[in-house]
Amino acid sequence: MRLAISQAEKSPPKPTNFRVGAVLADRLNRIVLATGYTLQLPGNTHAEECCLQTFLEVESRILLKSSVIYTTMEPCQKRLSGKTSCAERIARTWDDGKQGIETVFYGLGEPDTFVSKEERDTLAEKQGLKAIEYIYLPGFEEEISRIATAGHERPTKEEQSQQRGALYANEDDRK
């Protein structure tokens, strides 16, 4: 996960992207096969997408059954751009009878910023993505969240205070 975090730090901060890092590895032989990070390749590219494309650029490369991917944030189930989601890309590594990625290790669940959890879960179920094991690795949330959201607008202390005040005012209105 540490290598995936270092990859995420390479991603340029933007208000419309999470800075994510990914590492494709062979679990049995304990070797790194490829790395990637958000916006590493041209276009609006995600970390897992870059990692897989980098690996597949070498034609003779095939994934082994022991292939796993470490990603700082849970792979997206839906992309607002209409591009193929990272979860679907990972699932497609098993297409045409090929060996694919068997496990996804992630350090932070995908926030509801762009797609709600309910929508992600529904999409995952429809796409049959439950066959790949997803394992959450606790202990990295704060660091990953800080890196992932660099470049996002943060409310000032005054705005936070106003939001809290509005919350309390709304509760008074309901009484």
Side-chain angles (χ1 to χ4, degrees):
M1 185 56 72
R2 283 275 158 226
L3 182 54
I5 290 170
S6 72
Q7 290 297 303
E9 290 176 320
K10 294 178 181 181
S11 180
K14 289 181 71 176
T16 55
N17 287 84
F18 290 116
R19 296 170 69 209
V20 177
V23 176
L24 180 63
D26 179 337
R27 181 179 48 82
L28 291 180
N29 295 308
R30 303 181 70 151
I31 57 171
V32 171
L33 302 172
T35 61
Y37 57 88
T38 304
L39 302 176
Q40 176 183 359
L41 299 175
N44 183 19
T45 54
H46 286 194
E48 300 89 341
E49 175 182 9
C50 294
C51 187
L52 289 170
Q53 282 184 2
T54 300
F55 177 78
L56 295 172
E57 280 178 0
V58 179
E59 289 179 34
S60 61
R61 287 188 164 177
I62 56 167
L63 291 170
L64 302 173
K65 186 175 181 186
S66 57
S67 297
V68 298
I69 193 164
Y70 292 84
T71 181
T72 55
M73 189 176 287
E74 178 184 13
C76 67
Q77 300 287 339
K78 179 181 179 180
R79 297 199 46 190
L80 298 178
S81 66
K83 290 179 77 174
T84 303
S85 74
C86 294
E88 189 174 341
R89 285 178 195 279
I90 291 166
R92 285 184 180 175
T93 63
W94 288 90
D95 283 356
D96 303 323
K98 292 183 266 180
Q99 296 288 335
I101 295 170
E102 66 174 1
T103 308
V104 174
F105 295 96
Y106 66 96
L108 182 67
E110 184 182 13
D112 287 348
T113 306
F114 303 118
V115 180
S116 73
K117 179 171 177 17
E118 294 78 25
E119 192 174 359
R120 285 194 305 274
D121 291 346
T122 301
L123 284 164
E125 203 171 296
K126 280 183 186 174
Q127 295 170 346
L129 301 180
K130 298 288 184 190
I132 294 170
E133 186 176 20
Y134 278 68
I135 298 175
Y136 167 68
L137 299 176
F140 300 98
E141 303 85 358
E142 194 173 305
E143 181 180 12
I144 290 171
S145 181
R146 179 184 48 77
I147 293 166
T149 59
H152 291 204
E153 269 190 38
R154 306 234 194 280
T156 64
K157 288 188 186 253
E158 184 179 320
E159 289 169 332
Q160 289 174 345
S161 178
Q162 288 172 349
Q163 289 170 352
R164 279 193 297 274
L167 247 170
Y168 295 127
N170 290 339
E171 286 179 14
D172 291 340
D173 291 343
R174 284 189 249 155
K175 291 181 181 177

